[in-house]
Amino acid sequence: RCGIEAEAVALARALAVTTYRSEAEFARRFAAPAQQVDGCWRLPVQDYLDAQGRRFAQRFASERYRLRSESLDLHRIEPSALRVPLHLLAVREDRLVPLADSAELARAARAELSEIGSDYGHDAFLKEAAQVSRWLQRVLAGQREGRMRRVTRAA
């Protein structure tokens, strides 16, 4: 948590945050011109990114963050080996997991793919509660109907 490791985690998080939201949201929120601060030019978005990085670094020890990132990078699942119904929700504006990647996963896993639009990009699942809730309700209702049909057929 101290020294260079915390700075590295903060920087990694700040960079990651740039992929979580859409270009449209960043343009709308941080449209002001750059300003000189202590002889250096700063863009309005820099304060936001720095704050996000610092907050994250205070909560995560650098070694845990490194191991978590490594685990995500090395983990592999063969989508065609999945034997459970899979329902995917993609966000058209998601720059971290592009719609094309979600569509490819859906094809490989024989899954249902739904999509929504949101300027929140990858963070839409946190910010678009109404859209995500409607999707979840539809998926869960479909699963209940499927179970009821199977029970009815078995009777």
Side-chain angles (χ1 to χ4, degrees), residues 5-141:
E5 295 88 2
E7 288 178 39
V9 169
L11 179 59
R13 181 62 173 192
L15 290 171
V17 167
T18 66
T19 67
Y20 297 162
R21 302 292 180 92
S22 72
E23 186 177 335
E25 187 200 8
F26 275 113
R28 186 177 57 254
R29 285 181 66 185
F30 305 108
Q35 294 183 338
Q36 268 202 326
V37 178
D38 296 326
C40 296
W41 287 100
R42 282 193 61 87
L43 298 169
V45 72
Q46 286 178 269
D47 291 333
Y48 169 75
L49 295 175
D50 288 347
Q52 294 294 317
R54 277 192 309 275
R55 193 172 74 201
F56 189 82
Q58 289 170 351
R59 293 190 331 245
F60 282 89
S62 58
E63 182 64 9
R64 287 186 179 166
Y65 183 72
R66 185 189 65 76
L67 292 172
R68 176 181 167 261
S69 295
E70 190 174 83
S71 175
L72 288 169
D73 290 343
L74 297 175
H75 191 76
R76 296 288 180 262
I77 293 177
E78 178 56 46
S80 63
L82 296 172
R83 300 289 178 243
V84 296
L86 183 61
H87 304 271
L88 304 173
L89 179 62
V91 180
R92 287 184 291 275
E93 296 79 7
D94 189 339
R95 295 189 294 182
L96 187 59
V97 182
L99 182 56
D101 289 357
S102 295
E104 178 57 34
L105 174 59
R107 278 190 295 280
R110 298 169 309 281
E112 173 191 301
L113 174 64
S114 300
E115 63 182 76
I116 61 173
S118 172
D119 279 352
Y120 293 115
H122 190 72
D123 279 352
F125 76 99
L126 297 169
K127 300 290 217 169
E128 299 287 2
Q131 288 192 78
V132 173
S133 178
R134 282 192 299 273
W135 175 76
L136 278 171
Q137 288 172 2
R138 183 181 58 75
V139 168
L140 293 174

